Every structure is written in C-alpha cells, then in structure tokens.
C-alpha cells in the first residue's frame, strides 16, 4: 500500500509539472532584452584558492576521492568518485569540508554594445552539451598549473592536479583536484542572449527570462522555440505521470476482477 501511495504522489506531481509547463508555453517569453553578436572574453576565469587563471569563460574545479565501491559482479574495487560512495560491505571516509567543487567565471561581453553576460549564461559553457547550442562545447582539462606550494594539505603533481596522496599507490581517502575550462577560440561566430538588462549586464533570473543560443535569432523565433520546448516537456511529464498511475493501479484492479469472477 505504501508503494502505491508513493507512486500516486509521484504521478500527481509529474502531471502537475506537466500542466505548469503547458501554461508556460501559452504565456510566452514576455518582455526581454535581446542581444546578438560575437562573444568577447574581457577577463579570465580565476580560482583564488589555488591561484589558477585560465583564458576561458569558466574554470571548473572538480574534487574527487579515492573510494571503495562494489562492481556489478559484487567485488569490492577502488576508484575516484566525485561523491561519497555508500555500501553495505565497506565504509568510505567523508570528503574534507575545506575543499569543495566550485566554478569560477570570466567576464564576457556580447555584440557591439559590450553588454556583459551574467554567470547564468556563462555556466552553459561548462556543460559538454547544452540543449540550445547546435554543437558541443569543447572542454579540456587544465594543465601547466602554477606551483604555489601546499594548499589545504594538497600538493601539485606534474603541473596537472593537486592531491594529498601519490599516484604510485593511491589509498582510500586520497583527494584528487582537477580543473576544466574552454578555449574562447571555440566560441561560435555569433550568439543570441535574452534576459533582463541591469546596467550593462544581461541577467538570467529564471528559465522563463533567460535564453542563450549559438546563432542569431529574433524575439519571435525565441518565443516559438520556447513554446515548442515547453509544450513537449508538458506532454512528457503528463504522459509519464499517467503511465505510472496505470502501472500502479491496473494490475491490482485486474486481480480484484479475477477474484470476483472466481
């Protein structure tokens, strides 16, 4: 009964989310400030904790820990993971509290008006693929890191990563810190950003007031894309909710009918 109640709640939430998406598709994008043109990197992304500066719209710090895990065959193995792995047959240590994943942004402008883009736009470059970009972002691991000595108990290895362990013999609990970035020369020739202008910065406050494309689009074209994506999202959520309800209740009803017939 408990599983049925949980499934019902999940189904109702999905259907409600679908109805909300459907209403958004009808509302449109509202009044937005829209700018198109090439992007220009004004200042680099910088991680102040490790004094790493990269010519990129973003600099993503990734912290992993060497941990136990259980493979599909049930054997206990070890490898690096970005989150703590929980298991019944092993115990992994907690991640350190003073060194965390983080993302830092450079300063990027769009078009001839030199409008600065908010971090909400620049974050899209940190994804290997973004739904409204026509091509994948080319992300690389940053190497040639500066050696500034020990940082939070970590030391630099091969100018490529920081760790408190040794690559020759990793031990459970060892921390590995790496960085990812994107070369601005891989920017598309033109972009369109829509948001709310605050001073000389275009701000992305929520999904309904932020749009970013690697092509030039008009306000009407953006509105049409938003309407279509919201509509398809609504159909997906409503359909998924209905399917879960059917899977949850039809077998039980069929069994009841079968018992009555007997």
């Amino acid at each position: 009964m408990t599983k049925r109640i949980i499934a019902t709640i999940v189904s109702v939430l999905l259907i409600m989310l679908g109805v909300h998406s459907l209403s958004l598709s009808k509302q449109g994008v509202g009044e937005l400030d829209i700018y198109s043109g090439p992007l220009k990197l004004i200042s680099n992304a910088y991680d102040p904790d490790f004094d790493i500066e990269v010519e990129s719209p973003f600099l993503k710090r990734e912290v992993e820990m060497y941990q136990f895990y259980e493979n599909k065959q049930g054997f206990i193995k070890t490898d690096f993971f970005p989150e703590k792995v929980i298991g019944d047959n092993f115990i992994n240590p907690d991640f350190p509290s003073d060194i965390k994943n983080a993302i830092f942004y450079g300063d990027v402008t769009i078009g001839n008006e030199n409008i600065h883009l908010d971090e909400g736009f620049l974050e899209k470059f940190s994804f290997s693929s973004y739904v409204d970009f026509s091509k994948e972002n080319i992300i690389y691991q940053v190497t040639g890191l500066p050696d500034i000595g020990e940082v939070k108990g970590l030391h630099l290895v091969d100018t490529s990563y920081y760790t408190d362990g040794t690559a020759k013999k990793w031990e459970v609990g060892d921390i590995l810190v790496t960085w990812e970035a994107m070369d601005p020369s891989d920017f598309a020739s033109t972009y369109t950003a829509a948001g709310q202008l605050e001073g000389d910065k275009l701000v992305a406050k929520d999904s309904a007031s932020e749009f970013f494309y690697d092509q030039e689009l008009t306000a009407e074209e953006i509105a049409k894309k938003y309407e279509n994506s919201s509509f398809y999202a609504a159909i997906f959520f409503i359909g998924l909710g209905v399917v879960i309800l059917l899977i949850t209740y039809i077998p039980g009803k069929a069994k009841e009918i079968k018992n009555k017939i007997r």
Side-chain angles (χ1 to χ4, degrees):
M1 182 61 71
T2 302
K3 290 182 179 180
R4 180 175 291 187
I5 293 174
I6 294 174
T8 302
I9 294 173
V10 171
S11 300
V12 171
L13 290 175
L14 285 170
I15 293 173
M16 290 175 62
L17 182 59
V19 172
H20 178 64
S21 296
L22 194 60
S23 67
L24 289 178
S25 70
K26 301 300 181 183
Q27 291 176 8
V29 298
E31 295 184 3
L32 297 176
D33 299 299
I34 301 174
Y35 295 90
S36 294
L39 300 185
K40 182 178 180 181
L41 183 65
I42 303 301
S43 61
N44 299 334
Y46 176 66
D47 183 342
D49 294 327
F50 292 84
D51 195 27
I52 298 172
E53 181 177 344
V54 180
E55 187 179 358
S56 170
F58 75 92
L59 178 59
K60 186 176 182 179
R61 180 206 297 166
E62 295 188 324
V63 181
E64 297 178 288
M65 179 188 289
Y66 199 65
Q67 303 179 66
F68 292 116
Y69 74 98
E70 187 172 338
N71 65 11
K72 294 181 179 179
Q73 291 73 38
F75 295 105
I76 305 299
K77 300 288 187 177
T78 51
D79 204 346
F80 282 99
F81 293 93
E83 297 179 352
K84 183 176 180 178
V85 179
I86 306 297
D88 296 329
N89 302 314
F90 56 82
I91 298 177
N92 285 312
D94 293 328
F95 272 74
S97 59
D98 60 341
I99 175 73
K100 298 181 181 296
N101 294 329
I103 184 165
F104 309 91
Y105 299 99
D107 184 13
V108 177
T109 60
I110 184 170
N112 297 324
E113 298 91 344
N114 292 322
I115 299 299
H116 298 262
L117 294 179
D118 181 58
E119 295 176 355
F121 294 102
L122 302 184
E123 182 186 21
K124 309 302 187 285
F125 291 112
S126 67
F127 308 138
S128 58
S129 61
Y130 175 58
V131 62
D132 288 327
F133 285 177
S134 60
K135 67 173 185 176
E136 293 189 349
N137 294 319
I138 302 175
I139 298 172
Y140 68 92
Q141 182 176 332
V142 180
T143 57
L145 304 177
D147 189 353
I148 59 174
E150 187 173 289
V151 181
K152 300 180 184 296
L154 308 175
H155 58 273
L156 182 65
V157 176
D158 296 333
T159 70
S160 299
Y161 59 89
Y162 274 83
T163 183
D164 57 357
T166 170
K168 294 181 180 179
K169 187 178 180 181
W170 294 115
E171 296 182 358
V172 170
D174 285 348
I175 296 297
L176 179 69
V177 185
T178 56
W179 287 261
E180 290 183 341
M182 173 186 175
D183 192 328
S185 65
D186 291 321
F187 283 154
S189 58
T190 187
Y191 288 83
T192 297
Q196 297 178 354
L197 191 63
E198 295 183 355
D200 63 349
K201 177 174 283 189
L202 194 63
V203 177
K205 291 188 175 180
D206 55 58
S207 60
S209 62
E210 171 227 334
F211 301 92
F212 199 28
Y213 303 93
D214 59 349
Q215 56 183 306
E216 186 169 353
L217 295 175
T218 64
E220 291 76 15
E221 290 171 326
I222 292 175
K224 187 62 177 178
K225 281 180 173 288
Y226 178 67
E227 180 180 347
N228 290 339
S229 62
S230 297
F231 176 77
Y232 290 128
I235 296 301
F236 172 77
F237 289 124
I238 292 173
L240 182 59
V242 171
V243 168
I244 293 176
L245 279 176
L246 293 175
I247 293 174
T248 303
Y249 284 96
I250 286 181
K253 289 295 181 181
K255 187 176 182 180
E256 289 178 13
I257 295 173
K258 188 176 182 180
N259 290 335
K260 287 181 180 180
I261 294 175
R262 288 179 178 176

